[in-house]
Amino acid sequence: MKSAGLARPVAIRWPPLVTALAFALPVVFVLVPLAIFLVYSFFSVDQGQIVYAPTLANYVRFFTDPVFLPVFWRTIVLCLSVAVISILLAYPTAYFLTTLRGRWRYALLMLLMVPLLMSYVIKIYAIRSILGLNGFLNKALVGLGILAEPSTLFVFNMNAILLTLTLLLIPFAILPIFLALERIPQVLLRASDDLGASSLQTFLRITLPLSLPGVASAASFVFVLAIGDFLTPQMVGGISGFTFGRILYSQFGTAYNWPFGAALSVALAVVVIVAILLGERFGRNRGASL
């Protein structure tokens, strides 16, 4: 006998037009451009004119040229390093925020998100002024006697790109980890304390495992943003800080070789899709096993 006080949930049926629009927008703005790039990658350029004849020359050039593939792998390693460092810095910050009570938790979270509202170019210039020869970092190291003279270690090289991307993308790592930590049921933490577990044991056996889906999401998010960035390497990388994003920019901008740029974009898109799928699968598996 059914209880009179329990109501059966009513399924919401959206109008067909709304459903069609919901599927049409991602198709038009995501899948169609990707398909166009894929088609363009099989064309070629002859004397500045695009030749609309199918060819695999662009992909052969990518895999056989001694320049492109090493830069591709070096960029992947760089972006993985950015993701790892961002997680190592973002996790303690997000954990500290979850220990706060009341309005302070979200007030400080909003302060950490404020840089996202600033101009990307202005942030890069600000970081470059800190890392430059006459920047705050070099002046501080010279003033403390650590360096005898200003160093170029932090500007116009791969180190500068690594530091700048990390500083720019930390907020994107803090938010997913904070949300994962905040969703952990407090009853589990109290039960662990009641059973005599120390704070470290509670963290290692409950908090850390339950927050790993957020860590996976943050890592994949930061990696995808870093590997698609060409402006940061352009502004702080210099000659020695050459990344795959700068190659892509040069093919579409200065070289006007759109088919080859499209082939490079396809290779980059494959890495991005794999990173997203790995992050999503790892997060789902961890969430299902806990």
Side-chain angles (χ1 to χ4, degrees), residues 118-128 168 231-232 235-236:
M118 299 172 58
S119 169
Y120 197 79
V121 177
I122 292 177
K123 289 187 289 185
I124 295 177
Y125 273 117
I127 295 174
R128 195 169 74 171
L168 291 173
L231 185 59
T232 300
M235 295 182 66
V236 303

Side-chain angles (χ1 to χ4, degrees), residues 138-184:
N138 267 311
K139 288 182 178 179
L141 293 175
V142 172
L144 293 173
I146 299 176
L147 295 178
E149 59 183 13
S151 173
T152 59
L153 180 64
F154 309 110
V155 66
F156 299 130
N157 50 39
M158 297 298 286
N159 295 328
I161 300 175
L162 176 65
L163 290 173
T164 303
L165 284 175
T166 301
L167 292 173
L168 291 173
L169 299 179
I170 280 180
F172 293 99
I174 292 176
L175 190 57
I177 297 175
F178 172 79
L179 294 176
L181 289 170
E182 195 179 39
R183 285 198 295 263
I184 297 177

Side-chain angles (χ1 to χ4, degrees), residues 106-115:
Y106 300 102
L108 290 180
L109 179 64
M110 290 301 299
L111 287 177
L112 291 173
M113 297 298 112
V114 165

Side-chain angles (χ1 to χ4, degrees), residues 18-238:
V18 176
T19 304
L21 287 175
F23 284 97
L25 291 177
V27 169
V28 172
F29 292 105
V30 177
L31 296 182
V32 171
L34 289 176
I36 293 174
F37 267 84
L38 181 61
V39 172
Y40 256 82
S41 68
F42 294 103
F43 298 150
S44 60
V45 171
D46 184 19
Q47 297 181 354
Q49 299 295 324
I50 297 178
V51 179
Y52 296 96
T55 177
L56 294 175
N58 294 319
Y59 292 99
V60 173
R61 181 185 176 189
F62 170 67
F63 284 106
T64 58
D65 194 288
V67 174
F68 300 110
L69 204 56
V71 175
F72 183 68
W73 292 120
R74 187 166 66 244
T75 303
I76 291 178
V77 172
L78 171 70
C79 296
L80 286 173
S81 302
V82 171
V84 170
I85 297 174
S86 297
I87 294 300
L88 293 177
L89 295 176
Y91 197 99
T93 304
Y95 184 79
F96 170 74
L97 290 175
T98 58
T99 61
L100 300 177
R101 294 293 179 266
R103 65 183 64 180
W104 282 108
R105 173 186 296 188
Y106 300 102
L108 290 180
L109 179 64
M110 290 301 299
L111 287 177
L112 291 173
M113 297 298 112
V114 165
L116 299 181
L117 305 177
M118 299 172 58
S119 169
Y120 197 79
V121 177
I122 292 177
K123 289 187 289 185
I124 295 177
Y125 273 117
I127 295 174
R128 195 169 74 171
S129 67
I130 295 174
L131 302 178
L133 281 175
N134 297 317
F136 172 78
L137 181 60
N138 267 311
K139 288 182 178 179
L141 293 175
V142 172
L144 293 173
I146 299 176
L147 295 178
E149 59 183 13
S151 173
T152 59
L153 180 64
F154 309 110
V155 66
F156 299 130
N157 50 39
M158 297 298 286
N159 295 328
I161 300 175
L162 176 65
L163 290 173
T164 303
L165 284 175
T166 301
L167 292 173
L168 291 173
L169 299 179
I170 280 180
F172 293 99
I174 292 176
L175 190 57
I177 297 175
F178 172 79
L179 294 176
L181 289 170
E182 195 179 39
R183 285 198 295 263
I184 297 177
Q186 294 299 311
V187 64
L188 295 178
L189 304 180
R190 290 194 294 268
S192 176
D193 183 63
D194 292 340
L195 292 173
S198 63
S199 299
L200 180 60
Q201 289 175 324
T202 300
F203 174 79
L204 293 177
R205 297 183 179 182
I206 296 178
T207 304
L208 182 59
L210 290 177
S211 64
L212 286 181
V215 173
S217 299
S220 61
F221 199 16
V222 171
F223 176 82
V224 169
L225 291 175
I227 202 170
D229 193 330
F230 73 92
L231 185 59
T232 300
Q234 188 80 15
M235 295 182 66
V236 303

Side-chain angles (χ1 to χ4, degrees), residues 264-282:
L264 299 181
S265 300
V266 170
L268 189 65
V270 170
V271 175
V272 169
I273 293 172
V274 169
I276 294 174
L277 292 178
L278 286 176
E280 190 273 338
R281 182 171 182 177
F282 180 80

